[in-house]
Amino acid sequence: MNFEYVRASTAAGAVSMLAKQSDAVFIAGGTNLVDLMKRGVVSPMRLIDINTLPLKEITLSGNKVTIGALALNSAVSEHPLVIKHFPLLSYALKAGASQQLRNMATVGGNMMQRTRCSYFYDTVMPCNKREPGTGCGAMQGINRMHAIFGSSENCIAVHPSDMCVALAALDASVIIRGAKGDRKILFTDFHRLPGNTPEKDNNLQPGELITHVEIPVNAFQQHAYYLKIRDRASYAFALVSVAAALEMQGNKISKARLAMGGVAHKPWRLTEAEAFLKGKEATETNFKAAAALAMQGAKAYEHNSFKLQMAPNAIAEALKKATSKA
Amino acid sequence: MEKQFFFDADTPDPDRVDGRAKVTGSARYFAEYTLPDMTYGVLVTSPVTKGRIKALDTKAAEKAPGVIAVLSHLNKPSVPGYEAPPAEGRGPGMRIFYTDKIYFNGQPVALVVADSFERATYAATLVRAQYEKEEFRTDFDANLDKAVAPRAPGAAEYKRGNIDAYKNAEVQLESEYFIPTEMHNPMELHGILAHWESPEKVIMYAKTQGVKATQQTVTNLFKLQAQNVQVFSEFVGGAFGIALRTWPHEVATVMAAKMVGKPVKLVLTREQMFTMVGYRPQAKQKLGMGATKAGILTGITHEAIGQTATYDEFTEGIVNMTKFMYACPNVNTRYKVLPLDVCVPIWMRGPGEATGAFALESAMDEMAYRLGIDPVEFRIRNYAETDPQRNQPFSSKYVKEAYQMGADKIGWSKRNPVPGSMKNGDWQVGYGMSTGVFTAGRGGATVRAVISDDGMLLLQSAVSDIGPGTGTAMVKIASDLMGMPFEKIRFELGNSSLPPAPSQGGSSTLSTVGSAVNDACLALQEQLAILAGQKTFAGKTKQDIVFSNGRIGLKNEPASAIGYAELLRQNNTPAVEVTKDSRQGEAARKYSIYSFSIHFVEVNVHPATGVVKVTKIVSVGDAGTIVSAKTAASQMIGGAVGGIGMALTEEAIMDHRFGRYVNHNFADYHVPVHADVPHVESLFINKPDPIINPMGAKGMGEIALIGFSAAVANAVFHATGKRIRSLPITPDKILQTKAV
């Protein structure tokens, strides 16, 4: 069979095209998929271009903002509704990739991007995510960038997104179109931990299409901060990142949302730290205590033990920055 | 010659002569050339690090659409130069497709030629190879005990005075330093376009720092007449040393073009740029340093081990600077190479010396703090007025002035010298400095100069311009001498048929080719004077004649001046042509001729996250006369950017279980981005060197980088009290290093 490139014009059409063929995939911005194809990591026989689907809108209705899955990362980061209601999301997007990539990459594509683990990208190396059963190259290999939370003996890769860390913190939901209609899941339930099926990054079922992301309007605008620690000032994946969003009453934290990037196979929500901070004064001691709670269960490998120090520092630093914002 | 070269003279500093072509895209790089019936080559590379190819199945690839040939050791055309036994001294070398041996991971094992790049790329995936694997060694740290003395003569040992004298000093220091493998990574990918115009004649569009060197390599390998081997390389999109040799894949492309009888273009992928075109080799160094309590150096011992390949020896001057930079009576150096199953390294900007300067200039800083003496003052107390290695004068050296200039500009005296004492909000602030030095060479080159009756001056030389602004500098030299505006002068380069010039490397092009331009212009002046003398200037001596505003005339007699074009027309002479060979005289041997640099930086370090930002840079060049201020400043800026990469971000990381790099792309191998680079102040001493050449100008491509990484590491120490001796200084190292 020959390679095919087709365009879908409706969401329903796209879903039915995908259902017909097992080795078909959607392509939107292509900023990750095309790289993967060039490297021989994936070789889909049919690309279904969904760029013309009407899924670019960003709208406010009631108490939630809905973002179309095809909205560009740059458009979302600069959209007045996003800047007004979710500055955290704007910060996170602008911390990711480069402006050129953000001008191509979509919200749905950002969620669907694969790990940047070197072993996943080099088809000569073993990788359970790319080729289940071949082993995890990173486990005993170069694992400086790898997970400290939620890994399994099969995979220690991390999810590379910045946007997704903010969406996880903001209690977003994902609207998914399938053959049987729409379903809605929590954003934090979208991505998976590797477990015994590291080849599965997320809970999207075969034949499904992400159509929207919904974010409930909140009151975190004044106290939101995205801290990204990386090896250079731009265009580098996070060693550790922290999305912090707070509601404050005076110096007291009334509500906290925290998530980390660069530490797990999915955006890593810090629910225990959030619960601890609720009702606490914004003090360095409390930040450190919250960070210590968040670090429970962390496990490092040969080259990423620094994350055990960097991650709690980053949590405390992000909280400090978020709470000091007027 | 009264004419002087000044960048701050009455004439404004001109723009780059090729600037417009480069920014508008009309400048053509090798990969942008197309030839009729051109075909495309794509390499198949070894996933195995050492062993031999047991079987190679190319049938499927050969049957794939558009495929013309699949070249490998099974069917290679004869290359006469490969039939001879290997040369002594450097190892067997890499004779591409000549044996089934695998020397390193990523080595080319086949070259697929097809009618399109895409088809060649696809067909390359269909080549099936089976390998007999052998145990290999790629791990530098784990094999340090297998380092050996280099075969290159004189490279292994140096001493003056007593060996290891530092061990008896009042104040002693012993420190180990490490730099990782660094990749050149110019924006332009490597490759070549080769076409055999007849069985005896081949032309190549290449990415090379030496069109004559590429010409000679291919001439020798294929036993051709040199004039039948033509190499074009007018524009090079960055090189930093990567294009200083003709690589195996270039020879393979020439072989393939011969085999298919059509032009073949090969462009490496970014990933392949990490595996087959060299790198700055990782190196481990040990500095022993001894001084009196008064801060006078009494002994330095500098030991270094650098990586090389098993099949080809590479050496560089890691320990060179230590031999003469400071006035120290007892100095000894030991240099070894560690052959591993890897691609051979190649010189990378500031080669060797940049590696060595990181260790020496870090150690100088460590010793200064140990002594409680200002790091600048410590260097001045041990200033070498004459070359202590060769016991002869420096041709010129204004390093004390450079220290002062840099210190004033960055505000060195305002800093609190106590480590960890300065703050900027949450950030720790630190200042650091270092010295760099590199040989200011001058080789031999030939330049042809042709002045025509249309008023144009054409200069020609087979040199390359990999970006420093060679064309601009040459035009500036001619412009000053001939009194002609830039737009009337053209400098042709990058063509092996032009008069010979050496490869562009080792900061010697301006000195070497510039001298030939100088001499050619003087010869042209003589010819013009003769022409003018026939009508106007009978009986006048050379001293009476001036060349300015495009005219030749008598001093103090403006009315006598006549334009060059008019003079030629009056004499019915369409053009005057001269060709001059120029090289350094014997007298220069009595001097040690070096370019120097001083780097000052300010850094901000975030203690909680480990992030380091370089916030200020002042680099001072002591490189004789500055011929072209704009391109010289750009050199310094480029060196600073490369230096930030070396200091903070760049490291090629290999998984030694496989012998493969894991960060072989621009996302994972971090060259600095704009946001990493502050404004760079580049200052120059700009005093002519009286010995090196007629311009008094010394090269400066290397010194822009040499020493820079130490200035950053020293600034990090000042900011934090953390002495980091292993580059790059990434956030994890800041967090995991204890303050002293």
Side-chain angles (χ1 to χ4, degrees):
Chain A
M1 203 205 88
N2 283 328
F3 174 80
E4 265 190 332
Y5 167 87
V6 291
R7 264 191 201 140
S9 52
T10 64
V15 167
S16 77
M17 279 178 179
L18 189 69
K20 279 186 208 144
Q21 241 168 327
S22 59
D23 50 3
V25 296
F26 294 133
I27 182 165
T31 55
N32 187 207
L33 179 60
V34 173
D35 276 352
L36 291 164
M37 291 171 69
K38 281 184 180 173
R39 295 290 299 271
V41 177
V42 297
S43 308
M45 289 312 288
R46 178 185 267 211
L47 287 187
I48 303 164
D49 187 333
I50 54 171
N51 280 296
T52 55
L53 303 191
L55 296 172
K56 287 187 162 62
E57 298 283 299
I58 299 172
T59 53
L60 172 69
S61 63
N63 68 339
K64 63 177 192 258
V65 170
T66 303
I67 302 173
L70 289 169
L72 298 178
N73 284 190
S74 52
V76 177
S77 71
E78 289 154 18
H79 197 279
L81 282 174
V82 173
I83 290 171
K84 182 178 172 199
H85 294 287
F86 316 112
L88 179 71
L89 177 58
S90 182
Y91 302 149
L93 278 163
K94 285 178 177 170
S98 64
Q99 185 67 25
Q100 293 92 327
L101 286 166
R102 295 194 293 267
N103 284 340
M104 288 297 289
T106 63
V107 167
N110 189 317
M111 293 163 62
M112 294 297 290
Q113 67 179 308
R114 312 297 308 267
T115 180
R116 261 47 175 206
C117 174
S118 307
Y119 298 89
F120 178 68
Y121 275 77
D122 186 343
T123 54
V124 170
M125 306 269 208
C127 173
N128 286 326
K129 182 181 279 298
R130 189 186 67 243
E131 215 178 328
T134 55
C136 174
M139 190 84 69
Q140 308 290 330
I142 309 294
N143 44 37
R144 179 169 177 267
M145 302 297 292
H146 289 72
I148 52 171
F149 292 110
S151 60
S152 74
E153 59 190 13
N154 299 301
C155 181
I156 61 171
V158 297
H159 195 262
S161 172
D162 293 297
M163 178 194 82
C164 293
V165 180
L167 288 175
L170 292 170
D171 297 322
S173 301
V174 187
I175 316 292
I176 295 164
R177 170 74 54 89
K180 293 175 196 150
D182 285 352
R183 67 186 181 105
K184 179 169 162 178
I185 60 171
L186 285 176
F187 194 89
T188 45
D189 290 336
F190 181 80
H191 294 100
R192 296 165 57 100
L193 290 178
N196 292 322
T197 53
E199 68 277 15
K200 287 186 183 165
D201 291 349
N202 56 59
N203 288 314
L204 212 57
Q205 299 304 307
E208 286 188 321
L209 170 72
I210 304 166
T211 59
H212 300 89
V213 169
E214 274 180 14
I215 315 174
V217 169
N218 56 46
F220 299 132
Q221 294 75 17
Q222 299 305 312
H223 299 286
Y225 194 80
Y226 188 74
L227 175 70
K228 182 175 183 182
I229 307 174
R230 44 186 155 176
D231 285 322
R232 62 180 165 191
S234 176
Y235 190 49
F237 293 102
L239 295 166
V240 169
S241 69
V242 178
L246 307 166
E247 275 181 40
M248 308 270 296
Q249 281 169 344
N251 196 44
K252 196 176 268 188
I253 297 166
S254 46
K255 206 186 248 188
R257 293 288 180 270
L258 287 168
M260 261 199 285
V263 294
H265 198 258
K266 60 184 287 187
W268 194 248
R269 181 83 180 254
L270 312 180
T271 44
E272 285 173 31
E274 291 172 7
F276 170 82
L277 287 167
K278 190 177 163 72
K280 296 276 192 326
E281 290 288 318
T283 64
E284 194 138 347
T285 311
N286 283 332
F287 299 158
K288 283 189 174 157
L293 269 179
M295 291 306 291
Q296 282 178 5
K299 180 189 171 192
Y301 298 86
E302 187 181 352
H303 303 108
N304 69 350
S305 60
F306 70 92
K307 289 190 181 182
L308 301 182
Q309 193 178 348
M310 183 179 280
N313 283 5
I315 294 166
E317 181 70 18
L319 286 167
K320 187 169 130 190
K321 283 283 188 338
T323 51
S324 65
K325 284 197 159 192
Chain B
M1 254 325 290
E2 279 180 32
K3 195 85 198 176
Q4 292 246 335
F5 298 87
F6 289 125
F7 78 81
D8 55 354
D10 29 358
T11 50
D13 188 57
D15 291 335
R16 281 176 181 262
V17 293
D18 50 7
R20 188 181 173 83
K22 283 184 172 174
V23 301
T24 58
S26 65
R28 283 214 284 172
Y29 297 82
F30 88 88
E32 295 178 296
Y33 284 88
T34 54
L35 293 172
D37 285 331
M38 192 169 77
T39 65
Y40 299 82
V42 168
L43 291 166
V44 179
T45 60
S46 170
V48 164
T49 303
K50 188 179 180 188
R52 51 176 287 275
I53 307 166
K54 216 158 54 179
L56 192 71
D57 180 0
T58 59
K59 282 195 209 77
E62 280 160 10
K63 282 188 203 145
V67 172
I68 299 158
V70 180
L71 185 68
S72 72
H73 69 290
L74 300 174
N75 64 345
K76 85 277 181 185
S78 167
V79 176
Y82 276 170
E83 310 289 353
E88 287 296 314
R90 286 172 63 96
M94 236 289 271
R95 299 173 174 221
I96 188 159
F97 300 155
Y98 253 63
T99 72
D100 56 5
K101 270 188 79 95
I102 300 298
Y103 294 102
F104 60 90
N105 206 308
Q107 175 184 321
V109 295
L111 174 59
V112 177
V113 181
D115 59 2
S116 77
F117 171 69
E118 289 77 10
R119 286 172 147 180
T121 300
Y122 173 65
T125 67
L126 303 176
V127 173
R128 293 282 171 268
Q130 286 182 296
Y131 300 90
E132 199 175 281
K133 294 184 197 174
E134 290 173 32
E135 269 190 46
F136 61 85
R137 285 204 289 256
T138 59
D139 192 341
F140 184 80
D141 288 335
N143 290 287
L144 287 168
D145 59 324
K146 297 179 185 70
V148 295
R151 285 172 256 186
E157 305 252 350
Y158 166 82
K159 88 168 171 107
R160 72 166 172 268
N162 299 323
I163 284 183
D164 295 343
Y166 75 93
K167 289 181 176 169
N168 303 316
E170 282 179 1
V171 184
Q172 295 173 24
L173 175 82
E174 252 183 28
S175 290
E176 288 196 343
Y177 303 91
F178 175 76
I179 69 144
T181 290
E182 227 191 321
M183 296 290 170
H184 301 67
N185 267 324
M187 284 298 286
E188 182 193 29
L189 299 165
H190 205 275
I192 195 164
L193 162 57
H195 176 46
W196 291 78
E197 291 184 335
S198 78
E200 298 301 320
K201 186 178 182 206
V202 62
I203 63 163
M204 286 160 279
Y205 293 90
K207 176 187 177 74
T208 177
Q209 291 174 244
V211 284
K212 297 300 286 184
T214 303
Q215 180 192 42
Q216 194 182 350
T217 302
V218 173
T219 299
N220 293 347
L221 283 178
F222 291 87
K223 295 281 178 280
L224 300 167
Q225 305 275 335
Q227 71 267 23
N228 286 338
V229 178
Q230 287 181 359
V231 184
F232 306 99
S233 187
E234 190 183 357
F235 291 98
V236 176
F240 312 111
I242 205 169
L244 275 170
R245 69 186 285 171
T246 306
W247 294 102
H249 64 268
E250 297 178 88
V251 179
T253 308
V254 178
M255 287 159 74
K258 185 165 185 149
M259 190 179 191
V260 303
K262 291 178 179 185
V264 179
K265 183 194 284 185
L266 173 80
V267 182
L268 298 187
T269 64
R270 182 57 64 185
E271 183 183 339
Q272 289 168 348
M273 292 288 284
F274 282 75
T275 59
M276 61 179 84
V277 285
Y279 48 86
R280 185 196 303 282
Q282 56 187 322
K284 188 146 206 152
Q285 301 177 71
K286 195 171 143 191
L287 250 293
M289 189 175 274
T292 66
K293 285 178 184 163
I296 304 300
L297 285 169
T298 57
I300 308 177
T301 298
H302 188 172
E303 296 173 271
I305 299 174
Q307 175 171 307
T308 186
T310 53
Y311 65 92
D312 197 351
E313 180 174 290
F314 173 85
T315 61
E316 57 182 356
I318 298 182
V319 295
N320 283 5
M321 176 177 174
T322 303
K323 299 172 187 172
F324 63 86
M325 191 64 224
Y326 298 106
C328 179
N330 305 295
V331 172
N332 63 297
T333 67
R334 299 184 194 100
Y335 172 54
K336 287 182 177 178
V337 288
L338 173 53
L340 296 172
D341 298 307
V342 293
C343 176
V344 70
I346 189 75
W347 300 285
M348 179 167 163
R349 194 174 194 177
E353 282 79 353
T355 306
F358 169 60
L360 177 64
E361 290 298 295
S362 291
M364 287 296 286
D365 200 69
E366 292 193 50
M367 182 56 103
Y369 278 101
R370 194 162 288 190
L371 291 164
I373 299 175
D374 180 283
V376 176
E377 170 60 22
F378 180 49
R379 285 168 173 83
I380 289 172
R381 283 188 200 177
N382 294 285
Y383 195 78
E385 296 286 355
T386 57
D387 178 357
Q389 181 187 1
R390 292 184 201 135
N391 273 315
Q392 60 185 25
F394 291 110
S395 58
S396 69
K397 182 181 177 186
Y398 299 99
V399 173
K400 276 184 190 166
E401 290 85 337
Y403 286 137
Q404 193 62 51
M405 200 185 261
D408 288 349
K409 188 77 190 177
I410 204 156
W412 182 259
S413 63
K414 293 191 201 93
R415 89 201 224 285
N416 180 341
V418 178
S421 63
M422 298 182 73
K423 296 273 180 340
N424 170 24
D426 289 344
W427 297 76
Q428 297 173 302
V429 178
Y431 290 83
M433 56 80 58
S434 68
T435 318
V437 62
F438 195 77
T439 300
R442 177 179 169 193
T446 307
V447 164
R448 182 188 297 133
V450 185
I451 191 157
S452 312
D453 62 6
D454 61 357
M456 292 295 295
L457 170 61
L458 174 66
L459 303 162
Q460 295 177 310
S461 186
V463 67
S464 296
D465 183 351
I466 58 174
T470 298
T472 306
M474 297 306 142
V475 169
K476 172 78 167 129
I477 290 169
S479 165
D480 282 355
L481 280 169
M482 299 301 294
M484 293 174 71
F486 257 50
E487 57 274 16
K488 296 278 186 195
I489 307 172
R490 199 153 64 87
F491 184 76
E492 266 183 21
L493 47 59
N495 177 343
S496 63
S497 303
L498 299 174
S503 295
Q504 179 157 70
S507 300
S508 59
T509 301
L510 176 71
S511 175
T512 303
V513 183
S515 298
V517 167
N518 177 87
D519 292 0
C521 286
L522 294 184
L524 208 52
Q525 287 183 350
E526 275 182 36
Q527 294 298 312
L528 291 169
I530 290 168
L531 271 187
Q534 290 164 3
K535 293 210 180 230
T536 326
F537 301 158
K540 300 291 179 186
T541 67
K542 203 172 155 188
Q543 283 68 36
D544 299 323
I545 303 171
V546 291
F547 298 83
S548 72
N549 291 322
R551 294 146 80 88
I552 175 172
L554 292 174
K555 206 180 268 181
N556 306 323
E557 289 181 41
S560 69
I562 177 169
Y564 306 141
E566 197 188 340
L567 175 67
L568 294 183
R569 284 196 298 270
Q570 281 183 7
N571 285 278
N572 292 320
T573 306
V576 174
E577 175 180 325
V578 296
T579 300
K580 290 298 283 185
D581 179 69
S582 178
R583 52 196 68 239
Q584 200 157 50
E586 283 297 308
R589 286 174 186 260
K590 295 184 207 132
Y591 296 89
S592 294
I593 311 181
Y594 290 102
S595 293
F596 302 90
S597 58
I598 311 300
H599 307 287
F600 284 88
V601 303
E602 180 199 78
V603 299
N604 282 11
V605 182
H606 196 274
T609 61
V611 171
V612 179
K613 289 196 293 192
V614 178
T615 45
K616 276 184 199 163
I617 296 172
V618 177
S619 285
V620 187
D622 172 17
T625 304
I626 298 305
V627 169
S628 161
K630 187 172 282 184
T631 60
S634 293
Q635 283 271 46
M636 293 304 264
I637 294 166
V641 176
I644 291 172
M646 186 176 180
L648 299 182
T649 61
E650 295 187 47
E651 176 177 20
I653 301 166
M654 185 178 274
D655 184 329
H656 298 297
R657 297 171 302 166
F658 303 95
R660 288 173 77 80
Y661 288 108
V662 297
N663 60 341
H664 46 210
N665 58 69
F666 268 167
D668 296 324
Y669 180 94
H670 299 133
V671 297
V673 295
H674 283 289
D676 292 306
V677 183
H679 175 68
V680 179
E681 291 276 1
S682 61
L683 308 175
F684 298 103
I685 295 290
N686 195 29
K687 288 184 183 166
D689 183 294
I691 305 299
I692 185 167
N693 55 37
M695 297 83 67
K698 305 195 260 198
M700 45 168 298
E702 322 298 330
I703 56 162
L705 180 82
I706 295 169
F708 193 91
S709 60
V712 176
N714 295 342
V716 166
F717 174 77
H718 178 231
T720 62
K722 296 178 181 191
R723 181 62 69 179
I724 297 176
R725 303 183 183 88
S726 169
L727 298 181
I729 304 172
T730 43
D732 48 322
K733 288 185 189 166
I734 294 284
L735 291 183
Q736 295 189 309
T737 302
K738 284 199 165 60
V740 292

